């Protein structure tokens, strides 16, 4: 079965094609980062409008790059939530109309399941049970995956997502958007011990994240050390600001690893997955790889193109249901607050920056 996957949950318009064996033939992403950069965050109305313009073109080119024609597609998988409702609606409505016109089966995919499943795209034999740390601009959580298509949330952030914290701190310092990659590039030049960031306390030391306190800590450190916001995003930050950036990155990574270590010890998985846009972070990759080696776990950190929002992960997640003969065409709708494993998906304020 040739599967076409479609993803429009936030600010990336994406389409991907899988061959009969589930291998990725093509994966195309049209990013809107430049459109939203002047606003310092995603503007929902702009995102939805752009999906409407980009989707037909992105789908057509994904199929072309796969070396196929639209007539050869056998099944469709589309993200139906969680995400921005306007963005989700464009993808769901477009794909439903297409499925109906062509008489193809269609399944709705949970975006978070897509992120977890990205760990198996290039390493299909990664053993179960697995533990997946999903860190992006919209979500930060740890999932236990006892077997394919089963997800149990073991920890989540109580406030900001990790990527959101990177973006907000960068904005506070006057650095360009999105802040994660910029902070990651600057941090190796600073001293990660220069500024203290306390450990995050949770009840009984149970795994769980919280990053909004670090935002406040950055603001307080700026005031105390007399660090002024940059006048323009092009300005070179002074050494003391680079020390603050390094200390902040170090603290975020330390917290992510602390919760992951705790979850490994209680859940006893055989493998570890790190995915989501923040999985691009150099320090986090290094520390998670160390942790996996220490605990003797198989490790999957997907290539960056499968860490950030993409449709290959959506097609991969939807494929088993399509192979079973499921078809959600009649009842599929966008659901901005869709849950995974019966747990409420984390909602953040990032969408309204
Ligand atoms: O998964 P993604 O593309 O979109 C969401 O679903 O949110 O993740 C984007 C997030 C942004 O917050 C961005 O700042 C962050 O990932 N990010 C990073 C790095 N590269 C991207 N954060 C830390 N270090 C990086 N190298
Ligand atoms: Zn995502």
């Amino acid at each position: 079965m040739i599967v076409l996957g479609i993803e429009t949950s936030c600010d990336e318009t994406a389409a991907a094609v899988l061959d009969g064996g589930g291998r990725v033939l093509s994966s195309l992403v049209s990013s809107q980062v430049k459109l939203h950069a002047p606003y310092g965050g995603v503007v929902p109305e702009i995102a939805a409008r752009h999906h409407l313009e980009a989707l037909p073109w992105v789908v057509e080119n994904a199929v072309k790059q796969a070396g196929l024609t639209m007539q050869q597609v056998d099944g469709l998988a589309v993200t139906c939530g969680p995400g921005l409702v306007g963005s989700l609606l464009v993808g769901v409505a477009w794909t439903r109309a297409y499925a109906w016109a062509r008489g193809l089966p269609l399944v709705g995919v949970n975006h978070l399941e897509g992120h977890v499943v990205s760990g198996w795209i290039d390493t299909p034999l990664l053993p179960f049970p697995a533990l997946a740390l999903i860190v992006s601009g919209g979500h930060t959580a740890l999932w236990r995956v006892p077997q394919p298509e089963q997800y149990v949330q073991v920890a989540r952030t109580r406030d900001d997502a990790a990527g959101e914290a990177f973006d907000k701190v960068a904005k506070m310092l006057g650095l360009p958007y999105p802040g994660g990659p910029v902070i990651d590039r600057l941090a190796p030049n600073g001293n990660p011990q220069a500024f203290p960031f306390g450990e995050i306390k949770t009840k009984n030391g149970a795994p769980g994240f919280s990053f909004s306190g670090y935002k406040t800590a950055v603001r307080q450190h700026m005031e105390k050390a007399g660090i002024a916001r940059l006048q323009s995003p092009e300005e070179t930050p002074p050494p003391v600001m680079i020390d603050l950036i390094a200390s902040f990155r170090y603290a975020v990574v330390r917290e992510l690893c602390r919760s992951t270590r705790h979850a490994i010890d209680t859940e006893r998985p055989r493998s570890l997955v790190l995915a989501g846009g923040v999985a691009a972070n150099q320090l986090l990759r290094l520390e998670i790889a160390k942790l996996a080696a220490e605990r003797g776990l198989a490790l999957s950190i997907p290539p960056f193109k499968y860490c950030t929002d993409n449709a290959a992960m959506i097609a991969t997640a939807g494929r088993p249901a399509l192979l079973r003969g499921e078809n959600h065409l009649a009842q599929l709708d966008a659901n901005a607050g869709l849950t995974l494993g019966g747990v409420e998906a984390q909602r953040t304020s990032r969408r309204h920056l």
Side-chain angles (χ1 to χ4, degrees):
M1 175 181 263
I2 302 288
V3 176
L4 170 65
I6 289 168
E7 152 67 38
T8 64
S9 69
C10 187
D11 58 344
E12 261 103 22
T13 319
V17 178
L18 306 184
D19 72 7
R23 282 168 297 267
V24 182
L25 290 176
S26 68
S27 177
L28 234 74
V29 180
S30 162
S31 174
Q32 306 178 8
V33 165
K34 282 199 184 111
L35 293 177
H36 299 285
Y39 307 97
V42 179
V43 182
E45 290 76 11
I46 295 179
R49 200 177 323 135
H50 187 78
H51 285 311
L52 208 52
E53 284 166 21
L55 192 53
W57 176 88
V58 172
V59 168
E60 197 178 305
N61 278 278
V63 173
K64 214 182 269 172
Q65 274 191 19
L68 301 171
T69 63
M70 296 294 265
Q71 277 63 35
Q72 288 171 288
V73 172
D74 301 307
L76 304 163
V78 63
T79 306
C80 56
L84 297 171
V85 70
S87 292
L88 289 166
L89 270 171
V90 173
V92 169
W94 193 92
T95 315
R96 280 187 76 190
Y98 187 76
W100 185 80
R102 287 276 333 275
L104 293 175
L106 158 70
V107 296
V109 174
N110 186 310
H111 180 79
L112 297 174
E113 178 178 7
H115 273 304
V116 174
V117 162
S118 70
W120 280 266
I121 295 178
D122 280 353
T123 47
L125 299 179
L126 193 73
F128 295 92
L131 185 72
L133 173 63
I134 307 302
V135 270
S136 75
H139 6 259
T140 294
L142 272 164
W143 300 91
R144 183 159 61 87
V145 193
Q147 57 187 41
E149 297 187 84
Q150 264 190 26
Y151 311 94
V152 183
Q153 196 182 73
V154 292
R156 61 182 261 197
T157 176
R158 280 173 287 146
D159 37 63
D160 292 353
E164 184 182 10
F166 275 108
D167 295 340
K168 285 181 175 171
V169 162
K171 195 174 180 183
M172 226 151 69
L173 295 168
L175 295 166
Y177 169 86
V182 185
I183 288 181
D184 199 25
R185 200 180 61 237
L186 293 168
N189 305 322
N191 172 10
Q193 312 295 342
F195 291 90
F197 285 83
E199 268 192 18
I200 294 160
K201 297 274 184 292
T202 50
K203 259 192 201 157
N204 316 322
F209 312 104
S210 166
F211 296 109
S212 83
Y214 282 176
K215 237 171 21 198
T216 315
V218 167
R219 191 175 305 117
Q220 287 166 347
H221 286 315
M222 282 174 79
E223 279 165 18
K224 260 196 223 148
I227 302 171
R229 191 174 189 274
L230 298 180
Q231 299 289 328
S232 92
E234 287 81 45
E235 197 182 327
T236 310
V240 63
M241 185 185 277
I242 295 180
D243 282 347
L244 180 55
I245 286 168
S247 304
F248 167 73
R249 179 182 76 154
Y250 173 81
V252 172
V253 170
R254 182 192 65 201
E255 288 308 306
L256 289 170
C257 290
R258 195 168 57 86
S259 281
T260 306
R261 188 176 298 113
H262 187 284
I264 290 172
D265 293 343
T266 51
E267 307 293 333
R268 304 250 162 230
R270 291 176 65 202
S271 62
L272 189 60
V273 171
L274 170 66
V278 183
N281 190 277
Q282 295 303 323
L283 186 63
L284 182 61
R285 296 172 83 92
L286 203 76
E287 292 301 320
I288 287 289
K290 263 196 226 163
L291 191 54
E294 232 174 62
R295 298 291 202 272
L297 304 179
L299 173 69
S300 170
I301 306 181
F304 190 58
K305 63 181 176 184
Y306 297 147
C307 279
T308 51
D309 288 351
N310 67 88
M313 68 183 192
I314 301 304
T316 304
R319 187 170 174 269
L322 285 167
L323 289 177
R324 279 196 299 270
E326 284 185 33
N327 188 0
H328 307 165
L329 177 59
Q331 73 278 17
L332 189 67
D333 204 355
N335 181 352
L338 189 64
T339 62
L340 181 63
V343 187
E344 195 196 329
Q346 167 219 333
R347 311 295 300 280
T348 73
S349 56
R350 173 180 179 246
R351 311 307 181 198
H352 312 291
L353 275 180

